[in-house]
Amino acid sequence: MDYEPWGCNRLVTSIKYIDSHTGGEPTRVVHSGTPDLGNGSMAERLEIMKTEHDWLRQALILEPRGYDWLVGAVLQTPCDSSCAAGIIFFNNAGYLGMCGHGLIGVVDTLAFLGQISAGEQRFETSVGVVSAILHEDRTVSIKNVVSYRYRQQVSVDVSNEGRVTGDIAWGGNWFFLVGDEEVDPSGIDRLLTRSRRIMTALVDQQIKGSDGGKIDHIELFGEPSDAAKADSRSFVLCPGGEYDRSPCGTGTSAKLACLAADAKLAPGDVWRQESIVGSVFEGSYQNVTDGIVPTIRGRAHVTAEISCVINDDDPFRFGVRTPGVE
Ligand code: PYC
Protein backbone atom coordinates (compact mmCIF):
# COMPACT_ATOMS: atom_id res chain seq x y z
CA MET A 1 0.00 0.00 0.00
CA ASP A 2 1.24 3.53 -0.60
CA TYR A 3 0.04 7.01 0.30
CA GLU A 4 -0.40 9.57 -2.43
CA PRO A 5 -1.03 13.27 -1.88
CA TRP A 6 -4.49 13.98 -3.25
CA GLY A 7 -5.81 17.01 -1.41
CA CYS A 8 -6.15 14.70 1.55
CA ASN A 9 -4.36 11.47 2.37
CA ARG A 10 -5.43 8.82 -0.08
CA LEU A 11 -4.48 5.27 0.67
CA VAL A 12 -4.38 3.56 -2.71
CA THR A 13 -4.49 -0.10 -1.88
CA SER A 14 -3.32 -2.83 -4.18
CA ILE A 15 -6.76 -4.45 -3.85
CA LYS A 16 -8.19 -4.93 -7.32
CA TYR A 17 -11.51 -6.44 -8.20
CA ILE A 18 -13.74 -7.19 -11.14
CA ASP A 19 -17.51 -6.98 -11.03
CA SER A 20 -19.78 -9.22 -13.04
CA HIS A 21 -23.33 -10.46 -12.89
CA THR A 22 -24.68 -13.93 -13.48
CA GLY A 23 -28.29 -13.86 -14.60
CA GLY A 24 -28.65 -10.47 -12.87
CA GLU A 25 -26.95 -11.44 -9.58
CA PRO A 26 -23.64 -9.62 -9.01
CA THR A 27 -20.26 -11.06 -8.03
CA ARG A 28 -17.21 -8.99 -7.00
CA VAL A 29 -14.04 -11.00 -7.55
CA VAL A 30 -10.93 -9.77 -5.73
CA HIS A 31 -8.01 -10.96 -7.84
CA SER A 32 -5.08 -9.16 -6.22
CA GLY A 33 -3.99 -7.31 -3.11
CA THR A 34 -5.71 -9.42 -0.47
CA PRO A 35 -4.05 -9.84 2.95
CA ASP A 36 -2.09 -13.02 3.63
CA LEU A 37 -4.57 -15.69 4.72
CA GLY A 38 -1.93 -18.43 5.10
CA ASN A 39 -1.52 -21.70 3.21
CA GLY A 40 -4.22 -23.81 4.87
CA SER A 41 -7.40 -25.20 3.40
CA MET A 42 -10.03 -22.74 2.15
CA ALA A 43 -12.04 -23.45 5.33
CA GLU A 44 -9.00 -22.43 7.42
CA ARG A 45 -8.32 -19.35 5.32
CA LEU A 46 -11.99 -18.36 5.53
CA GLU A 47 -11.68 -18.54 9.33
CA ILE A 48 -8.58 -16.29 9.22
CA MET A 49 -10.34 -13.79 6.97
CA LYS A 50 -13.38 -13.85 9.27
CA THR A 51 -11.44 -13.34 12.50
CA GLU A 52 -8.55 -11.11 11.36
CA HIS A 53 -9.53 -9.42 8.11
CA ASP A 54 -13.28 -9.05 8.11
CA TRP A 55 -12.63 -5.36 7.30
CA LEU A 56 -12.01 -6.50 3.71
CA ARG A 57 -15.46 -8.11 3.42
CA GLN A 58 -17.07 -5.06 5.02
CA ALA A 59 -15.18 -2.55 2.86
CA LEU A 60 -16.10 -4.36 -0.36
CA ILE A 61 -19.68 -5.44 0.32
CA LEU A 62 -21.24 -2.85 2.59
CA GLU A 63 -22.43 0.53 1.32
CA PRO A 64 -21.11 2.83 -0.07
CA ARG A 65 -18.84 0.52 -2.15
CA GLY A 66 -21.25 -2.38 -2.11
CA TYR A 67 -24.88 -3.24 -1.53
CA ASP A 68 -26.89 -5.96 0.15
CA TRP A 69 -27.34 -8.41 -2.72
CA LEU A 70 -23.68 -8.37 -3.77
CA VAL A 71 -21.59 -11.53 -3.32
CA GLY A 72 -17.81 -11.23 -3.00
CA ALA A 73 -15.16 -13.80 -3.87
CA VAL A 74 -11.51 -13.61 -2.85
CA LEU A 75 -9.19 -15.62 -5.09
CA GLN A 76 -6.47 -17.66 -3.40
CA THR A 77 -3.54 -19.78 -4.50
CA PRO A 78 -4.98 -23.30 -4.14
CA CYS A 79 -3.43 -26.03 -1.94
CA ASP A 80 -3.96 -28.55 -4.73
CA SER A 81 -2.06 -27.47 -7.83
CA SER A 82 -4.56 -29.26 -10.07
CA CYS A 83 -7.04 -26.51 -9.09
CA ALA A 84 -7.14 -23.20 -10.99
CA ALA A 85 -7.80 -21.22 -7.79
CA GLY A 86 -9.09 -21.32 -4.27
CA ILE A 87 -12.15 -19.18 -3.56
CA ILE A 88 -13.64 -17.68 -0.40
CA PHE A 89 -17.21 -16.42 -0.88
CA PHE A 90 -18.87 -13.80 1.33
CA ASN A 91 -21.79 -11.39 1.44
CA ASN A 92 -23.31 -8.65 3.60
CA ALA A 93 -24.10 -11.12 6.39
CA GLY A 94 -20.85 -13.10 6.51
CA TYR A 95 -19.34 -16.02 4.61
CA LEU A 96 -20.83 -18.54 2.17
CA GLY A 97 -19.67 -22.15 1.75
CA MET A 98 -20.32 -22.26 -1.97
CA CYS A 99 -21.98 -19.88 -4.36
CA GLY A 100 -23.18 -21.12 -7.74
CA HIS A 101 -23.78 -17.83 -9.51
CA GLY A 102 -20.56 -16.61 -7.88
CA LEU A 103 -18.51 -19.51 -9.28
CA ILE A 104 -19.90 -18.81 -12.76
CA GLY A 105 -18.85 -15.16 -12.21
CA VAL A 106 -15.36 -16.24 -11.09
CA VAL A 107 -14.90 -18.40 -14.21
CA ASP A 108 -15.99 -15.58 -16.53
CA THR A 109 -13.73 -13.15 -14.64
CA LEU A 110 -10.70 -15.46 -14.99
CA ALA A 111 -11.46 -15.71 -18.72
CA PHE A 112 -11.74 -11.90 -18.90
CA LEU A 113 -8.31 -11.65 -17.21
CA GLY A 114 -6.93 -14.12 -19.76
CA GLN A 115 -6.05 -16.61 -17.01
CA ILE A 116 -8.17 -19.47 -18.34
CA SER A 117 -9.64 -20.46 -21.68
CA ALA A 118 -12.46 -22.81 -22.69
CA GLY A 119 -12.33 -26.16 -20.94
CA GLU A 120 -12.66 -27.66 -17.47
CA GLN A 121 -11.14 -26.22 -14.28
CA ARG A 122 -11.23 -27.28 -10.63
CA PHE A 123 -11.62 -24.87 -7.70
CA GLU A 124 -11.15 -25.24 -3.96
CA THR A 125 -13.91 -23.81 -1.78
CA SER A 126 -14.43 -23.98 1.98
CA VAL A 127 -16.95 -26.82 1.48
CA GLY A 128 -14.91 -28.89 -0.98
CA VAL A 129 -13.53 -29.02 -4.50
CA VAL A 130 -15.91 -28.04 -7.32
CA SER A 131 -15.29 -27.97 -11.04
CA ALA A 132 -16.51 -25.81 -13.89
CA ILE A 133 -16.46 -25.97 -17.67
CA LEU A 134 -16.13 -22.75 -19.63
CA HIS A 135 -17.90 -23.46 -22.93
CA GLU A 136 -17.02 -21.88 -26.28
CA ASP A 137 -20.25 -19.81 -26.17
CA ARG A 138 -19.02 -18.37 -22.83
CA THR A 139 -21.66 -20.17 -20.78
CA VAL A 140 -20.30 -21.99 -17.75
CA SER A 141 -21.33 -25.37 -16.32
CA ILE A 142 -20.43 -25.83 -12.68
CA LYS A 143 -20.30 -29.22 -11.01
CA ASN A 144 -21.37 -28.53 -7.46
CA VAL A 145 -20.66 -30.31 -4.17
CA VAL A 146 -22.72 -33.40 -3.27
CA SER A 147 -26.25 -32.21 -2.57
CA TYR A 148 -29.06 -33.98 -0.77
CA ARG A 149 -32.49 -33.62 0.78
CA TYR A 150 -32.19 -33.85 4.54
CA ARG A 151 -35.86 -33.62 5.62
CA GLN A 152 -39.11 -33.77 3.68
CA GLN A 153 -42.29 -31.77 4.33
CA VAL A 154 -41.28 -30.01 7.53
CA SER A 155 -44.00 -27.74 8.93
CA VAL A 156 -43.20 -24.48 10.65
CA ASP A 157 -45.56 -21.96 12.28
CA VAL A 158 -44.79 -18.58 10.77
CA SER A 159 -46.09 -15.40 12.35
CA ASN A 160 -48.69 -13.66 10.15
CA GLU A 161 -48.31 -16.38 7.52
CA GLY A 162 -49.70 -19.48 9.26
CA ARG A 163 -48.27 -22.96 8.86
CA VAL A 164 -45.73 -23.30 6.04
CA THR A 165 -44.44 -26.69 4.88
CA GLY A 166 -41.22 -27.26 2.99
CA ASP A 167 -38.22 -29.51 2.42
CA ILE A 168 -34.76 -28.94 3.91
CA ALA A 169 -31.92 -29.60 1.46
CA TRP A 170 -28.19 -28.97 1.14
CA GLY A 171 -26.80 -27.60 -2.13
CA GLY A 172 -23.57 -26.09 -0.73
CA ASN A 173 -25.72 -23.93 1.59
CA TRP A 174 -28.83 -24.86 3.60
CA PHE A 175 -32.21 -24.24 1.96
CA PHE A 176 -35.86 -24.44 3.00
CA LEU A 177 -37.84 -25.11 -0.19
CA VAL A 178 -41.53 -24.31 -0.38
CA GLY A 179 -43.66 -25.22 -3.44
CA ASP A 180 -46.98 -24.01 -4.87
CA GLU A 181 -46.21 -20.35 -4.21
CA GLU A 182 -47.19 -17.35 -6.29
CA VAL A 183 -43.81 -16.21 -7.59
CA ASP A 184 -44.31 -13.11 -9.68
CA PRO A 185 -41.97 -10.09 -10.04
CA SER A 186 -44.88 -7.74 -9.28
CA GLY A 187 -45.01 -9.27 -5.78
CA ILE A 188 -41.39 -8.90 -4.71
CA ASP A 189 -42.17 -6.95 -1.52
CA ARG A 190 -44.64 -9.61 -0.46
CA LEU A 191 -42.19 -12.43 -1.31
CA LEU A 192 -39.46 -10.70 0.71
CA THR A 193 -41.73 -10.32 3.73
CA ARG A 194 -42.98 -13.91 3.55
CA SER A 195 -39.54 -15.47 3.08
CA ARG A 196 -37.98 -13.34 5.85
CA ARG A 197 -40.75 -14.42 8.22
CA ILE A 198 -40.13 -18.08 7.30
CA MET A 199 -36.39 -17.65 7.98
CA THR A 200 -37.13 -16.07 11.38
CA ALA A 201 -39.55 -18.89 12.28
CA LEU A 202 -36.97 -21.56 11.39
CA VAL A 203 -34.42 -19.88 13.66
CA ASP A 204 -36.94 -19.37 16.50
CA GLN A 205 -38.11 -22.99 16.28
CA GLN A 206 -34.51 -24.25 16.11
CA ILE A 207 -35.03 -26.02 12.78
CA LYS A 208 -31.54 -26.55 11.35
CA GLY A 209 -29.50 -28.43 8.79
CA SER A 210 -28.10 -31.93 9.46
CA ASP A 211 -24.84 -30.41 10.74
CA GLY A 212 -26.67 -27.97 13.03
CA GLY A 213 -26.09 -25.19 10.51
CA LYS A 214 -28.55 -22.33 10.13
CA ILE A 215 -31.00 -22.66 7.26
CA ASP A 216 -30.10 -19.30 5.83
CA HIS A 217 -31.67 -19.48 2.36
CA ILE A 218 -35.42 -19.71 1.70
CA GLU A 219 -36.69 -20.75 -1.74
CA LEU A 220 -40.27 -20.22 -2.87
CA PHE A 221 -41.26 -22.02 -6.07
CA GLY A 222 -44.09 -21.27 -8.50
CA GLU A 223 -45.04 -21.51 -12.15
CA PRO A 224 -42.55 -20.23 -14.76
CA SER A 225 -43.37 -17.10 -16.76
CA ASP A 226 -43.49 -19.27 -19.88
CA ALA A 227 -43.47 -23.08 -19.90
CA ALA A 228 -41.46 -23.00 -23.15
CA LYS A 229 -38.68 -21.17 -21.30
CA ALA A 230 -38.47 -22.85 -17.89
CA ASP A 231 -39.92 -25.57 -15.67
CA SER A 232 -40.34 -23.44 -12.58
CA ARG A 233 -39.73 -19.92 -11.27
CA SER A 234 -38.19 -19.30 -7.87
CA PHE A 235 -37.64 -16.51 -5.40
CA VAL A 236 -34.58 -17.03 -3.20
CA LEU A 237 -33.96 -15.16 0.04
CA CYS A 238 -30.25 -14.92 0.91
CA PRO A 239 -28.73 -14.78 4.44
CA GLY A 240 -28.41 -10.99 4.55
CA GLY A 241 -32.13 -10.42 3.94
CA GLU A 242 -31.93 -9.65 0.20
CA TYR A 243 -33.09 -11.81 -2.68
CA ASP A 244 -31.01 -13.50 -5.35
CA ARG A 245 -31.55 -11.98 -8.79
CA SER A 246 -30.34 -15.22 -10.38
CA PRO A 247 -32.02 -18.64 -10.01
CA CYS A 248 -29.31 -19.37 -7.36
CA GLY A 249 -26.80 -22.10 -8.20
CA THR A 250 -26.75 -23.74 -4.77
CA GLY A 251 -30.53 -23.28 -4.54
CA THR A 252 -31.06 -24.98 -7.90
CA SER A 253 -28.78 -27.77 -6.62
CA ALA A 254 -30.98 -28.16 -3.52
CA LYS A 255 -34.04 -28.23 -5.80
CA LEU A 256 -32.45 -30.95 -7.97
CA ALA A 257 -31.75 -32.99 -4.80
CA CYS A 258 -35.47 -32.81 -3.91
CA LEU A 259 -36.59 -33.63 -7.47
CA ALA A 260 -34.23 -36.63 -7.46
CA ALA A 261 -35.46 -37.79 -4.03
CA ASP A 262 -39.07 -37.58 -5.28
CA ALA A 263 -38.14 -39.37 -8.55
CA LYS A 264 -39.52 -36.36 -10.47
CA LEU A 265 -36.38 -35.85 -12.58
CA ALA A 266 -34.16 -38.61 -13.96
CA PRO A 267 -30.34 -38.41 -13.82
CA GLY A 268 -29.06 -36.47 -16.86
CA ASP A 269 -32.42 -34.82 -17.64
CA VAL A 270 -32.42 -31.01 -17.71
CA TRP A 271 -34.37 -28.84 -15.26
CA ARG A 272 -34.70 -25.17 -16.27
CA GLN A 273 -34.96 -22.93 -13.21
CA GLU A 274 -36.13 -19.35 -13.82
CA SER A 275 -35.28 -16.53 -11.41
CA ILE A 276 -37.55 -13.77 -10.24
CA VAL A 277 -35.92 -11.42 -12.83
CA GLY A 278 -36.39 -13.92 -15.68
CA SER A 279 -32.88 -15.38 -16.01
CA VAL A 280 -32.60 -19.17 -16.35
CA PHE A 281 -30.10 -21.78 -15.11
CA GLU A 282 -30.12 -25.27 -16.58
CA GLY A 283 -29.56 -28.02 -14.03
CA SER A 284 -29.04 -31.76 -14.19
CA TYR A 285 -27.55 -34.33 -11.84
CA GLN A 286 -25.77 -37.64 -11.42
CA ASN A 287 -26.50 -40.01 -8.54
CA VAL A 288 -23.79 -40.72 -5.99
CA THR A 289 -24.04 -42.83 -2.82
CA ASP A 290 -24.79 -39.96 -0.44
CA GLY A 291 -26.92 -37.77 -2.72
CA ILE A 292 -26.49 -36.20 -6.13
CA VAL A 293 -23.81 -34.21 -7.91
CA PRO A 294 -25.58 -31.29 -9.60
CA THR A 295 -24.41 -29.53 -12.75
CA ILE A 296 -25.67 -25.96 -13.21
CA ARG A 297 -25.22 -24.01 -16.45
CA GLY A 298 -25.49 -20.23 -16.75
CA ARG A 299 -23.81 -17.15 -18.18
CA ALA A 300 -21.98 -14.24 -16.51
CA HIS A 301 -21.06 -10.82 -17.90
CA VAL A 302 -18.22 -8.62 -16.61
CA THR A 303 -19.39 -5.08 -15.80
CA ALA A 304 -16.41 -3.25 -14.21
CA GLU A 305 -12.71 -3.43 -13.39
CA ILE A 306 -11.82 -1.52 -10.22
CA SER A 307 -8.88 -0.47 -8.01
CA CYS A 308 -9.95 0.04 -4.44
CA VAL A 309 -9.23 3.41 -2.79
CA ILE A 310 -9.37 3.49 0.99
CA ASN A 311 -9.23 7.09 2.09
CA ASP A 312 -7.86 7.64 5.59
CA ASP A 313 -10.23 10.46 6.40
CA ASP A 314 -13.31 8.63 5.09
CA PRO A 315 -15.35 7.61 8.14
CA PHE A 316 -17.09 4.97 6.02
CA ARG A 317 -14.00 3.53 4.34
CA PHE A 318 -14.87 0.12 5.82
CA GLY A 319 -18.56 0.45 5.01
CA VAL A 320 -21.75 1.61 6.66
CA ARG A 321 -23.16 -0.98 9.03
CA THR A 322 -26.87 -1.58 8.60
CA PRO A 323 -28.54 -1.00 11.99
CA GLY A 324 -29.48 -4.35 13.51
CA VAL A 325 -27.08 -6.36 11.31
CA GLU A 326 -23.87 -7.57 13.01
O1 PYC B 1 -25.90 -18.87 -6.71
O2 PYC B 1 -25.46 -20.27 -5.08
C1 PYC B 1 -25.78 -19.17 -5.49
C2 PYC B 1 -26.03 -18.09 -4.51
C3 PYC B 1 -25.99 -18.18 -3.14
C4 PYC B 1 -26.29 -16.90 -2.66
C5 PYC B 1 -26.48 -16.06 -3.73
N1 PYC B 1 -26.32 -16.81 -4.86
Side-chain angles (χ1 to χ4, degrees):
M1 299 187 189
D2 48 11
Y3 279 96
E4 285 179 11
W6 196 43
C8 55
N9 279 340
R10 184 175 63 145
L11 176 54
V12 180
T13 71
S14 50
I15 298 166
K16 292 191 183 344
Y17 55 85
I18 289 179
D19 283 356
S20 63
H21 75 86
T22 308
E25 179 72 357
T27 311
R28 178 160 288 175
V29 179
V30 186
H31 60 93
S32 63
T34 44
D36 184 5
L37 302 176
N39 299 317
S41 67
M42 287 311 129
E44 287 164 342
R45 291 188 224 186
L46 183 154
E47 211 45 47
I48 292 172
M49 182 165 164
K50 191 197 248 177
T51 51
E52 296 172 28
H53 300 290
D54 197 52
W55 61 268
L56 178 62
R57 179 187 68 80
Q58 294 176 29
L60 295 175
I61 299 292
L62 302 185
E63 293 177 22
R65 269 188 213 87
Y67 43 94
D68 280 355
W69 56 101
L70 176 62
V71 168
V74 159
L75 295 183
Q76 291 283 290
T77 305
C79 301
D80 174 349
S81 59
S82 72
C83 291
I87 312 170
I88 298 168
F89 291 110
F90 47 91
N91 63 12
N92 59 336
Y95 294 81
L96 288 164
M98 228 307 270
C99 182
H101 92 267
L103 181 57
I104 295 172
V106 166
V107 172
D108 197 70
T109 296
L110 290 173
F112 175 84
L113 288 168
Q115 292 182 12
I116 60 168
S117 45
E120 184 162 7
Q121 310 286 344
R122 281 155 48 84
F123 297 91
E124 284 171 6
T125 74
S126 64
V127 291
V129 172
V130 292
S131 66
I133 297 172
L134 173 63
H135 300 279
E136 294 290 350
D137 65 0
R138 201 84 182 213
T139 59
V140 176
S141 295
I142 62 162
K143 200 173 260 193
N144 197 3
V145 293
V146 172
S147 303
Y148 60 97
R149 180 165 69 188
Y150 166 49
R151 291 178 65 189
Q152 188 182 4
Q153 297 294 283
V154 176
S155 290
V156 57
D157 292 317
V158 183
S159 81
N160 297 308
E161 303 285 336
R163 182 156 275 225
V164 178
T165 301
D167 288 356
I168 300 173
W170 172 257
N173 295 298
W174 283 111
F175 288 84
F176 190 72
L177 302 92
V178 184
D180 296 328
E181 294 276 323
E182 190 144 333
V183 179
D184 189 274
S186 63
I188 284 186
D189 287 348
R190 173 81 199 104
L191 290 161
L192 263 176
T193 302
R194 180 167 169 78
S195 54
R196 285 174 179 161
R197 285 176 174 158
I198 296 172
M199 176 114 72
T200 302
L202 290 169
V203 171
D204 289 349
Q205 290 162 48
Q206 307 247 344
I207 298 171
K208 298 181 177 171
S210 60
D211 57 359
K214 179 179 175 188
I215 299 168
D216 55 5
H217 293 74
I218 309 295
E219 271 189 298
L220 309 178
F221 292 90
E223 292 301 316
S225 60
D226 175 357
K229 171 179 172 180
D231 298 297
S232 155
R233 178 158 60 185
S234 60
F235 175 89
V236 184
L237 180 72
C238 295
E242 259 299 337
Y243 68 94
D244 196 331
R245 274 64 176 162
S246 84
C248 191
T250 50
T252 303
S253 300
K255 175 69 177 175
L256 291 170
C258 295
L259 289 166
D262 288 332
K264 288 186 174 161
L265 186 76
D269 284 359
V270 173
W271 178 262
R272 298 157 307 156
Q273 187 63 57
E274 182 181 9
S275 74
I276 192 71
V277 305
S279 51
V280 175
F281 284 170
E282 287 183 357
S284 60
Y285 71 90
Q286 293 167 277
N287 280 319
V288 288
T289 42
D290 40 0
I292 61 157
V293 174
T295 298
I296 308 291
R297 186 168 184 164
R299 171 84 212 262
H301 298 266
V302 166
T303 55
E305 200 175 1
I306 297 161
S307 286
C308 187
V309 174
I310 295 181
N311 191 333
D312 237 9
D313 69 356
D314 175 0
F316 298 120
R317 61 196 179 282
F318 299 125
V320 177
R321 306 264 179 101
T322 313
V325 175
E326 284 296 300

